[in-house]
Amino acid sequence: MNLSIGIVGLPNIGKSTLFNALLKKTVADAANYPFCTIEPNVGVVEVPDERLPKIAEIVNTQKIVPAVVEFYDIAGLVAGASQGEGLGNKFLSHIREVAAIAHVVRLFEDDNVLHVSNTVDPLRDISTIETELVLADLATLEKQKDLSVAARAKATKEEGHRADAVIKLKNHLNAGNPARTLRLTDDEAEAAKDLHLLTMKPIIYVFNVSEEQLLDKEGTQKRIEEILRSLPLSQDDSPVGAIFLNAKLENEVLALDESDQKEYLNQYGLEETGLNRLIKKAYETLGLISFLTGGELEARAWTIKKGTLAPQAAGAIHTDFEKKFIKADIVPYSTFVEIGGWTKARDAGKVQIVGRDYVMKDGDVVEFKIGA
């Protein structure tokens, strides 16, 4: 599965600057006026994984294929976007099917960078975007047919669950609440999936801070925690995902080679780039892990959900593999590297042979055995 993230936020908060940094090159026109992004920018970014080069070295392959993240950067939203204000709902459709939303929020003060509301107020700005997403979702729900009593009598169970979900969601959103905070039954949640509601998606807040705020980690973190405490939790009461970074700095850092990057980041007490932290936070928020394959052809990382069974993991490589799955050979990454590859792992009895009920773990190095 490919991880996809939609980037949203008000104009002039650093969205396109962040997008440029994520792609390590300028592909979006970061200008100091609203709506400079007039078409959705889509970029594919490799997921950093220091395990792959080591596996490639052991299996003697030159080809490394990391997992990837697709980022969708859309035009800055403003109040009334769901009704067509600014460049409006034209762009909301572009993020209907992403797995998560990265909501970029301006925390930095800079008189040289205009704010659409003239003042920096993170909670107000978050509320503005959330309101527009809620209104866009309500417009989606209004298109769904209400089942009459007679229609319900003839409806399938799934249609009934969907109708129940739509009614609950309409009431919840009309009260100004995002869909992710509504507790639906498992059947209702499953039936509502293909609605692709924006406010049902997991959200990661990306606070764009100044260099001074970046240096004052403790103070900045405290301020962000205060903001987050004022926001609604998800339906399972899990904490809201958030990171902070300086988008301009990210652009500068990613123009350097790896050793210079580390030195530059060290000046701000950072161990890794905002890109890495955002991707890790996305994996954490969405409950994703990676399993690894390594052979003469390539060393590769594959993204799956936590709790995925071995046959479904095989299906991530090719859909036929799930149906024809027989068994899988598994070696934990640390063991694979320590012992020196498949042959030595088998000789030492370190390969675990698993069947259909095996739950995949992050960092499993795998060879699937597939029938004809």
Side-chain angles (χ1 to χ4, degrees):
M1 63 179 290
N2 283 344
L3 172 59
S4 56
I5 299 176
I7 304 176
V8 303
L10 292 168
N12 291 351
I13 44 82
K15 279 192 325 87
S16 293
T17 303
L18 172 63
F19 185 74
N20 294 342
L22 290 169
L23 298 188
K24 303 183 184 178
K25 59 182 179 179
T26 301
V27 294
D29 180 18
N32 184 22
Y33 54 89
F35 317 124
C36 61
T37 309
I38 57 172
E39 289 297 334
N41 289 289
V42 184
V44 179
V45 180
E46 295 178 357
V47 176
D49 195 330
E50 67 278 1
R51 299 173 297 190
L52 287 175
K54 293 180 180 178
I55 288 179
E57 184 179 349
I58 290 168
V59 300
N60 194 28
T61 183
Q62 298 297 312
K63 187 176 180 182
I64 294 175
V65 184
V68 298
V69 180
E70 295 175 350
F71 283 98
Y72 291 74
D73 176 37
I74 68 169
L77 301 174
V78 293
S82 59
Q83 307 301 318
E85 288 297 321
L87 292 174
N89 55 9
K90 172 185 175 183
F91 294 99
L92 293 177
S93 62
H94 296 302
I95 57 171
R96 283 278 174 206
E97 296 188 31
V98 298
I101 289 176
H103 182 169
V104 183
V105 182
R106 177 172 170 176
L107 212 62
F108 69 89
E109 299 274 0
D110 188 339
D111 292 339
N112 295 316
V113 180
L114 302 174
H115 190 290
V116 290
S117 299
N118 297 319
T119 58
V120 175
D121 183 338
L123 266 177
R124 177 203 59 207
D125 294 351
I126 289 172
S127 178
T128 297
I129 296 297
E130 192 84 314
T131 297
E132 294 310 313
L133 298 183
V134 164
L135 290 171
D137 282 348
L138 278 170
T140 297
L141 293 172
E142 289 301 329
K143 296 174 185 175
Q144 307 304 309
K145 291 181 181 178
D146 291 328
L147 291 183
S148 64
V149 175
R152 271 186 176 274
K154 299 177 182 178
T156 64
K157 281 187 178 180
E158 184 177 323
E159 288 170 338
H161 293 316
R162 183 186 175 95
D164 290 341
V166 168
I167 291 169
K168 288 182 181 180
L169 284 162
K170 278 184 180 179
N171 292 335
H172 191 70
L173 269 67
N174 271 316
N177 303 305
R180 75 180 72 87
T181 62
L182 174 64
R183 293 180 184 275
L184 296 171
T185 67
D186 291 344
D187 289 331
E188 289 166 350
E190 184 63 31
K193 272 184 181 178
D194 64 357
L195 293 171
H196 299 298
L197 298 181
L198 296 169
T199 63
M200 185 69 83
K201 299 179 187 300
I203 194 160
I204 303 166
Y205 292 102
V206 182
F207 290 91
N208 192 9
V209 303
S210 66
E211 290 189 37
E212 292 76 14
Q213 290 168 324
L214 195 62
L215 287 167
D216 179 21
K217 284 187 182 56
E218 188 175 336
T220 300
Q221 189 64 51
K222 184 177 179 181
R223 184 179 178 194
I224 288 172
E225 287 171 359
E226 289 172 355
I227 294 168
L228 297 180
R229 278 196 292 270
S230 300
L231 302 176
L233 297 174
S234 63
Q235 58 185 335
D236 59 0
D237 292 336
S238 59
V240 177
I243 67 165
F244 64 90
L245 51 75
N246 178 289
K248 184 179 177 184
L249 177 68
E250 290 293 313
N251 265 307
E252 294 170 354
V253 169
L254 291 169
L256 306 173
D257 60 37
E258 192 171 338
S259 61
D260 288 338
Q261 279 186 25
K262 290 180 179 178
E263 186 177 338
Y264 197 5
L265 290 169
N266 284 339
Q267 297 177 34
Y268 295 90
L270 299 172
E271 295 181 359
E272 56 187 346
T273 64
L275 164 64
N276 290 11
R277 289 184 285 121
L278 177 55
I279 291 174
K280 286 180 179 179
K281 182 59 70 174
Y283 267 65
E284 176 190 323
T285 301
L286 293 167
L288 302 177
I289 61 172
S290 294
F291 72 87
L292 312 167
T293 55
E296 291 182 4
L297 292 179
E298 64 183 24
R300 185 162 185 159
W302 305 85
T303 301
I304 55 174
K305 282 268 192 184
K306 284 180 184 175
T308 297
L309 299 178
Q312 287 73 54
I317 296 176
H318 194 288
T319 51
D320 285 349
F321 286 7
E322 181 176 351
K323 302 173 191 172
K324 300 177 180 179
F325 175 90
I326 298 174
K327 61 182 180 179
D329 290 351
I330 305 278
V331 182
Y333 167 76
S334 57
T335 303
F336 190 87
V337 171
E338 181 183 346
I339 209 160
W342 284 112
T343 301
K344 292 179 181 178
R346 289 190 172 96
D347 291 345
K350 296 294 185 181
V351 177
Q352 182 182 4
I353 300 172
V354 304
R356 292 183 166 274
D357 59 349
Y358 177 77
V359 178
M360 300 294 294
K361 299 179 182 66
D362 186 58
D364 277 346
V365 184
V366 190
E367 275 190 359
F368 292 108
K369 307 301 180 183
I370 306 299

